[in-house]
Amino acid sequence: MMKQQDTFRHQGMRQRMVDELRKKGIDNSAVLDAIGAVPRHCFLDSVFDARAYQDIAIPIGDGQTISRPLTVASQSALLEVFPDARILEVGTGSGYQSMVLDKMGAEVYTIERQRNLYVKTKALFDSFKSRIHCYYGDGYKGLPQFAPFDRILVTCGAADFPKELFSQLAIGGIMVIPLGFPKQVMTKVVRTSETDMETSEHGDFTFVPMLSKKSG
Ligand code: SAH
């Protein structure tokens, strides 16, 4: 995918989307600033240009979708991002959520199980000269070679709690993960010790399912 131009028209639509998210209850200014800065239309096929700044999920190919902006904002706020935080994202998809976290100053590692999406999004990151670390693989396994992570963000719906990811979370770290099937409850997990966690629930969402690695 080619990076598209960010025109004044896009910037205006994006500012209105930020205002809409604020009205819907997002009050984290670091999150709103990042969403205001990342050109969401560049992460979508150009046929969706007019809808890129509506608060809706949009198809990105291979049966997947870019999450709606309200979901991206909610997850990013729950994650309590800090500058240079090492973050693992599961489900690169379009790359939009990774770029929002990158804009917030985090060091982002992201993993995608669909090869087509991985290849397409890696090329897009390169066209942005982005420092995001992008991998093809199974998010259930995470990226143990780069652990521990300060934060882990899962952007697909997990039917079971991924224990291998928990082991890659730093003690004191936060994981935000939509848990359940077919619908998910947004769950925030704080790792309080080697073996313990505290969890809290943050509303109902619907995500594409988190699946084990498939070939191709
Ligand atoms: N964060 C993405 C959201 C994409 S939808 C964005 O901003 O666009 C969720 C993504 O999770 C899909 O691309 C899907 O292929 C991917 N996914 C599903 N199961 C996975 C797994 N086990 N490991 C890694 N990625 C997975």
Side-chain angles (χ1 to χ4, degrees):
M1 186 162 29
M2 285 288 294
K3 193 170 92 175
Q4 297 160 57
Q5 268 199 319
D6 191 24
T7 64
F8 285 126
R9 188 177 64 87
H10 291 111
Q11 290 164 32
M13 292 193 292
R14 191 152 71 239
Q15 197 47 55
R16 282 193 294 280
M17 181 176 85
V18 169
D19 294 340
E20 187 182 336
L21 292 173
R22 202 181 277 112
K23 283 193 195 107
K24 290 179 177 174
I26 302 298
D27 60 3
N28 182 317
S29 57
V31 170
L32 292 170
D33 287 352
I35 287 178
V38 178
R40 189 172 186 252
H41 67 281
C42 294
F43 295 81
L44 294 166
D45 190 282
S46 57
V47 299
F48 297 113
D49 199 76
R51 278 173 281 172
Y53 294 100
Q54 294 175 10
D55 187 19
I56 52 173
I58 294 175
I60 54 173
D62 293 283
Q64 308 303 320
T65 54
I66 186 175
S67 302
R68 66 184 281 207
L70 185 61
T71 301
V72 172
S74 306
Q75 290 200 290
S76 303
L78 283 172
L79 209 55
E80 300 181 25
V81 178
F82 59 89
D84 297 327
R86 288 165 53 82
I87 302 184
L88 171 63
E89 179 200 22
V90 173
T92 313
S94 69
Y96 175 71
Q97 170 76 74
S98 322
M99 196 61 98
V100 168
L101 297 174
D102 176 82
K103 271 278 183 272
M104 293 176 76
E107 183 173 5
V108 181
Y109 292 78
T110 183
I111 183 165
E112 170 58 54
R113 76 180 250 286
Q114 297 254 21
R115 184 173 271 286
N116 285 346
L117 282 173
Y118 160 75
V119 169
K120 204 161 72 174
T121 300
K122 181 150 183 24
L124 185 68
F125 286 151
D126 289 346
S127 75
F128 275 102
K129 298 193 174 28
S130 159
R131 59 180 182 155
I132 294 167
H133 312 278
C134 181
Y135 296 89
Y136 168 61
D138 181 1
Y140 270 110
K141 299 198 167 62
L143 292 172
Q145 66 273 39
F146 301 113
F149 296 98
D150 301 305
R151 302 288 185 261
I152 297 180
L153 177 60
V154 179
T155 67
C156 37
D160 315 296
F161 185 73
K163 293 197 184 62
E164 284 181 61
L165 288 184
F166 181 74
S167 71
Q168 292 170 34
L169 186 63
I171 293 174
I174 298 173
M175 181 183 334
V176 173
I177 177 167
L179 277 175
F181 180 82
K183 286 190 169 184
Q184 291 83 35
V185 175
M186 190 63 74
T187 308
K188 178 173 174 173
V189 174
V190 181
R191 183 172 189 179
T192 51
S193 75
E194 199 57 44
T195 49
D196 299 318
M197 60 176 110
E198 272 169 17
T199 63
S200 54
E201 297 187 343
H202 301 271
D204 295 335
F205 290 81
T206 308
F207 282 78
V208 296
M210 182 172 177
L211 300 168
S212 301
K213 185 170 178 175
K214 67 173 201 192
S215 53

